[in-house]
Amino acid sequence: MIPRSRPVINEADIAARARVPLATWRRRDAPAFRERVPSLLPGSRFLLYDLAQTEAYLAGRPIPALPDGEHPEDLLTDKEAAAILGITPSTVQAYATQGHLSRGTTLYGARLWTRREVHDRRDNAPGQGKGGGRRAGEPQGPRKAHAYEGDPRLDTAREALTAATGTPKGRIAAALAEQHGGTPRTWERLLTIAAATHDSDQT
């Protein structure tokens, strides 16, 4: 994650600022640098660093802390976006290609999306199957009763609740996530809505 869409820099540009070849910088200087200035995208092949922290390190100044907490303008990787949406990173990329998400922002080759956009996509329930739901920027149409209205996974959630009466919701959600994909957190939301709508149907 890149907090607040802050300016970033990669290792090639850091080496250029240090006026040494990239290979030399990585061999000689990178280990100490990485201990003080962590990559903003851990687990990614893209090694990007906060520009302000990098400049402070190169100048021998105290390294400023990054902002705490979540912010709508945070830039997220496909993995981070996928965790929020309850889908796979490849599906995030497919959404961007199909227009159900924007193409995002590309920084040094890394494609990223704002937390604001990802939350909007989540709260407007990505459609299931080929269509993938509303395209980015299109009008929403009539407001839904809840974010997952029309989601076929609600039927699966209702069936699971009926079959596992008395089982903790978290355990049901974990089993559904393992069987059908998505995250346990998403399935917990679906189970909550399924239980509420089932109760309302009985009244």
Side-chain angles (χ1 to χ4, degrees):
M1 178 191 78
I2 297 176
R4 275 65 162 178
S5 301
R6 289 165 64 97
V8 298
I9 189 170
N10 71 354
E11 293 192 346
D13 283 352
I14 296 172
R17 291 192 178 207
R19 299 184 179 182
V20 298
L22 177 58
T24 300
W25 184 86
R26 283 179 170 165
R27 182 182 67 254
R28 185 188 68 190
D29 303 323
F33 172 82
R34 292 169 184 162
E35 285 184 5
R36 300 286 307 283
V37 183
S39 171
L40 296 174
L41 307 180
S44 169
R45 64 189 179 91
F46 298 101
L47 296 175
L48 303 183
Y49 305 90
D50 184 75
L51 179 60
Q53 288 189 330
T54 299
E55 290 177 336
Y57 177 90
L58 294 176
R61 301 193 306 267
I63 298 173
L66 294 173
D68 290 329
E70 296 182 353
H71 189 275
E73 298 307 313
D74 293 340
L75 290 175
L76 309 179
T77 65
D78 55 357
K79 292 181 181 179
E80 291 167 330
I84 292 172
L85 296 174
I87 56 180
T88 64
S90 62
T91 302
V92 172
Q93 295 287 351
Y95 276 7
T97 300
Q98 297 164 2
H100 304 303
L101 279 173
S102 75
R103 292 191 173 274
T105 298
T106 302
L107 296 175
Y108 290 105
R111 185 184 289 190
L112 307 159
W113 292 266
T114 63
R115 187 181 300 278
R116 183 195 309 277
E117 179 181 2
V118 174
H119 280 193
D120 178 68
R121 177 74 279 177
R122 179 198 66 190
D123 295 341
N124 286 287
Q128 303 301 301
K130 184 177 180 181
R134 174 175 64 92
R135 292 180 182 271
E138 288 183 356
Q140 294 184 26
R143 189 168 182 83
K144 295 181 178 182
H146 52 76
Y148 293 92
E149 182 179 351
D151 193 319
R153 292 176 296 180
L154 284 172
D155 292 333
T156 303
R158 291 189 188 97
E159 293 172 2
L161 285 170
T162 301
T165 302
T167 303
K169 186 190 302 180
R171 187 178 302 173
I172 300 174
L176 289 170
E178 182 176 353
Q179 183 177 358
H180 299 285
T183 65
R185 184 177 177 184
T186 295
W187 280 106
E188 284 194 26
R189 294 193 191 99
L190 289 161
L191 289 166
T192 298
I193 295 169
T197 54
H198 177 75
D199 291 343
S200 65
D201 289 343
Q202 303 302 310
T203 59

